[in-house]
Amino acid sequence: MRLINTQQKILIVGLGLLGGSYAKALSKKGFHISAITLDQYSIDFALDKGWIEKGSAFVDTDLLSDADIVVFALYPTIFIDWIQKNQHLLKSGSIITDVTGIKGSVVYTIQDMLRPDVEFIAAHPMAGREVSGVENSDDCIFHNANYIVTPTDKNTPEAIQLCRDLGVILGFSRISTLSPDEHDKIIAFVSQLTHCIAVSLMTCQKTEHLEDYTGDSFRDLTRIARLNDEMWSELFLMNKEPLLQQMKLFEDELTRLRKMLQSDDREGLREMMRYSTARRALFDKKL
């Protein structure tokens, strides 16, 4: 039996790309959605689309005191600051969750400061686009995507299950559970390192008009180089040590590849490519 139902009122704090996509997906399923965000345009846009029933461009005490579930779609430091200042307004017995891309430096901090009658169960929807803003929201980004729940020993089984249920309702195809620290080590590799590589590819070669000569392989590899610099620099720095470790692994492997090339080791190159091809097949999304 699911622990989440359409009688529960859901509030989204932060109505950008992910917050808007949550609102769109959940409103389609019959949930009562409200939102708080800084930009009145975003509220008006979501109201016009029918994704939310109520919204406010300021911290609305009525919306907070009425919400059974609150989804925070904020930058990590803003999320922590928001809880410090406004947690007294949350409904007693409410469950809060998030979409934050790092966990270790966020989850423990918030759980340590949070009121005992409110529970924070963290999650990371592994979905997004290279654009931002509620106007670019699309619940299709959740389909065939991964969703990671990151509980601690402070979480109840009921809250963990509710968070997993939320992932199913949103349309994610695979729900996983990791500790916050395990999450950050893996995300440093599968997400943050890949963005580092894409950025480095775009900045290491200064030849003009490359866009006139490139093919799909370069465009595909650098798709994620179009970054929200404010958010991603914060994510990198707040997960600094795991990311540096993964960068070292990549540098070592690139050095190994360079040495094969320098020594004309064709069989070594082919073996590395065969392993890469076989492993990459495991990552193809099953439609």
Side-chain angles (χ1 to χ4, degrees), residues 177-279:
T177 302
L178 293 172
S179 73
D181 295 330
E182 290 172 331
H183 167 276
D184 287 355
K185 291 176 182 177
I186 289 175
I187 292 304
F189 178 69
V190 301
S191 177
Q192 294 179 341
L193 176 62
T194 57
H195 284 79
C196 289
I197 294 168
V199 168
S200 299
L201 279 171
M202 292 306 307
T203 59
C204 72
Q205 172 57 269
K206 302 299 192 293
T207 300
E208 294 184 359
H209 308 299
L210 277 177
E211 65 276 12
D212 295 335
Y213 320 130
T214 189
D216 287 342
S217 58
F218 186 82
R219 282 190 288 268
D220 290 346
L221 197 57
T222 58
R223 175 182 60 82
I224 56 175
R226 298 170 59 186
L227 294 177
N228 177 330
D229 58 281
E230 182 180 5
M231 180 183 73
W232 280 96
S233 60
E234 183 170 308
L235 293 173
F236 284 1
L237 290 169
M238 293 184 76
N239 202 34
K240 178 179 176 179
E241 292 307 319
L243 179 54
L244 287 173
Q245 292 171 9
Q246 298 305 322
M247 291 175 77
K248 178 63 166 58
L249 287 176
F250 179 75
E251 290 165 359
D252 290 346
E253 200 67 359
L254 190 61
T255 297
R256 184 167 77 93
L257 181 59
R258 181 189 299 114
K259 289 179 177 178
M260 291 179 191
L261 188 60
Q262 289 172 335
S263 62
D264 295 320
D265 183 2
R266 182 171 182 175
E267 186 50 42
L269 290 169
R270 293 187 64 188
E271 181 181 353
M272 189 174 183
M273 292 172 184
R274 287 193 295 266
Y275 178 72
S276 169
T277 299
R279 196 165 190 213

Side-chain angles (χ1 to χ4, degrees), residues 61-111:
T61 56
D62 290 336
L63 292 181
L64 285 162
S65 63
D66 202 33
D68 301 297
I69 300 169
V70 185
V71 178
F72 286 90
L74 303 173
Y75 295 173
T77 53
I78 296 175
F79 181 22
I80 294 170
D81 184 62
W82 195 102
I83 293 296
Q84 286 178 321
K85 293 178 179 177
N86 302 301
Q87 64 165 301
H88 64 284
L89 300 173
L90 294 166
K91 180 179 180 179
S92 181
S94 60
I95 302 292
I96 68 175
T97 187
D98 70 332
V99 303
T100 311
I102 55 168
K103 297 304 180 191
S105 56
V106 174
V107 176
Y108 303 118
T109 300
I110 290 179
Q111 287 187 339

